[in-house]
Amino acid sequence: MGGCPLGYGAAAAAEAPEEAEPPAKRARAAGGGAAGTAAAGAAAGAEAAARGDCYYGDYLRVERLLSCQAPRSSGAGTSGVPAHDELLFIITHQAYELWFKQILHELTWVHQSLGAEVVSEAEHLRVVQRLRRVVKILKLLVAQFEVLETMTPLDFMEFRGDLEGASGFQSVQFRKLEALLGVPHTAERSAAFDRRLTEADLAQVGAARETPSLVERVGAWLERTPGLDGGFDFFSKFEAATTAALKQQRDGVLAGVNTRPAKATSSLLAECAESEAAFRSIFDEGAHALL
């Protein structure tokens, strides 16, 4: 009973028309347990859609997203059924492409930001934040291989023949990412990769290569930085600083050689060598070509 706790106004309340219950509430009252909960959820979703509210599945295009996996394996092998692991293969690579899209989104913003005549301190912080985000995504992409590695070579061979020459080298987004980061484009790379692309895809990659790379943007931004000499050579400074840091890392390992097991020292020195080789490939075109 609504109104005054002592009952005054009860008559007026009794005469007032009863407010219609929303469909979700009626659904909960109509059925208990899981069935009632499911019905209430469906009714609530219908209410939200009717109001024009943003709905999870519509916003993320879930139905369309889940229809984008189209395995090609025919089941003509010994099992007589489509290859089970082809779906894993497709989803993994589609996930890579989605993350490539996000990386390009972040790096394009950084590229445009550093291309401005004046880059504010606040903008510097956003650049660093978004580059850190890219690093996190790249680490995630590396970790993603662990899932794909649960597929054995024999599992892969069940459907490899159905792919008809398709290859990860044909990833346009990855080629655009290389161009944006400033990976050198040589005749050898062109012969190895570009011939695998369609004319339309090659045009996209070509346009990306004509755009100044992120490395060039950083160099130009540093040249405009107040306090630096006009002849500032970013790459020479970067190489010298990197070489000194790597040497300090190796010297630190060698200085503690008597404080740890030989196996641990060997492992640490191997990590040093790996880091040195990785950075050498940035400055040595021959070393980069061997990657």
Side-chain angles (χ1 to χ4, degrees):
M1 179 183 296
C4 175
L6 299 178
Y8 295 104
E15 292 174 3
E18 187 174 350
E19 193 174 308
E21 290 183 336
K25 186 174 181 181
R26 290 200 302 272
R28 283 193 296 270
T37 301
E47 288 177 44
R51 291 195 304 268
D53 291 352
C54 184
Y55 188 65
Y56 177 87
D58 295 336
Y59 177 65
L60 296 180
R61 303 291 192 270
V62 172
E63 187 174 352
R64 182 186 301 177
L65 182 65
L66 298 182
S67 67
C68 289
Q69 296 75 45
R72 294 173 59 91
S73 54
S74 60
T78 55
S79 64
V81 296
H84 176 85
D85 280 5
E86 188 179 2
L87 183 63
L88 170 67
F89 186 81
I90 293 172
I91 288 176
T92 300
H93 285 79
Q94 287 179 339
Y96 271 110
E97 291 296 332
L98 287 172
W99 283 122
F100 288 160
K101 181 175 183 177
Q102 184 66 37
I103 292 173
L104 285 169
H105 177 66
E106 303 295 350
L107 292 183
T108 299
W109 183 91
V110 171
H111 185 281
Q112 293 171 348
S113 181
L114 292 179
E117 188 64 28
V118 177
V119 184
S120 68
E121 288 297 321
E123 200 79 344
H124 289 166
L125 294 175
R126 284 191 286 269
V127 165
V128 172
Q129 175 209 19
R130 288 170 187 181
L131 288 176
R132 284 176 174 169
R133 180 180 295 166
V134 169
V135 171
K136 293 287 188 182
I137 295 173
L138 290 173
K139 289 181 178 179
L140 177 63
L141 293 181
V142 172
Q144 206 168 269
F145 272 113
E146 294 183 12
V147 180
L148 197 58
E149 286 173 350
T150 63
M151 180 178 64
T152 68
L154 288 178
D155 293 332
F156 179 55
M157 291 306 296
E158 285 187 9
F159 61 89
R160 180 65 183 91
D162 294 303
L163 302 186
E164 299 178 359
S167 168
F169 289 124
Q170 296 165 338
S171 172
V172 175
Q173 290 196 114
F174 189 75
R175 301 270 83 88
K176 290 167 71 174
L177 185 56
E178 286 184 326
L180 183 59
L181 291 174
V183 175
H185 178 63
T186 63
E188 292 79 8
R189 289 179 60 80
S190 179
F193 302 136
D194 290 0
R195 61 184 177 81
R196 299 171 179 262
L197 301 175
T198 64
E199 289 186 10
D201 287 347
L202 188 56
Q204 289 189 54
V205 176
R209 288 170 180 161
E210 293 298 321
T211 304
S213 70
L214 188 57
V215 172
E216 293 170 321
R217 277 280 194 253
V218 171
W221 167 68
L222 287 171
E223 290 173 0
R224 300 194 305 272
T225 301
L228 296 178
D229 298 332
F232 179 78
D233 186 342
F234 167 70
F235 285 106
S236 294
K237 297 287 187 182
F238 179 48
E239 184 174 9
T242 301
T243 301
L246 291 172
K247 182 178 184 302
Q248 184 179 11
Q249 181 183 32
R250 178 176 284 275
D251 290 346
V253 173
L254 294 174
V257 69
N258 295 323
T259 64
R260 67 176 76 88
K263 187 175 181 179
T265 297
S266 178
S267 177
L268 290 171
L269 288 174
E271 289 181 11
C272 290
E274 186 177 345
S275 297
E276 291 162 357
F279 276 102
R280 193 180 308 116
S281 69
I282 298 176
F283 309 108
D284 186 334
E285 187 173 341
H288 186 274
L290 296 176
L291 293 178

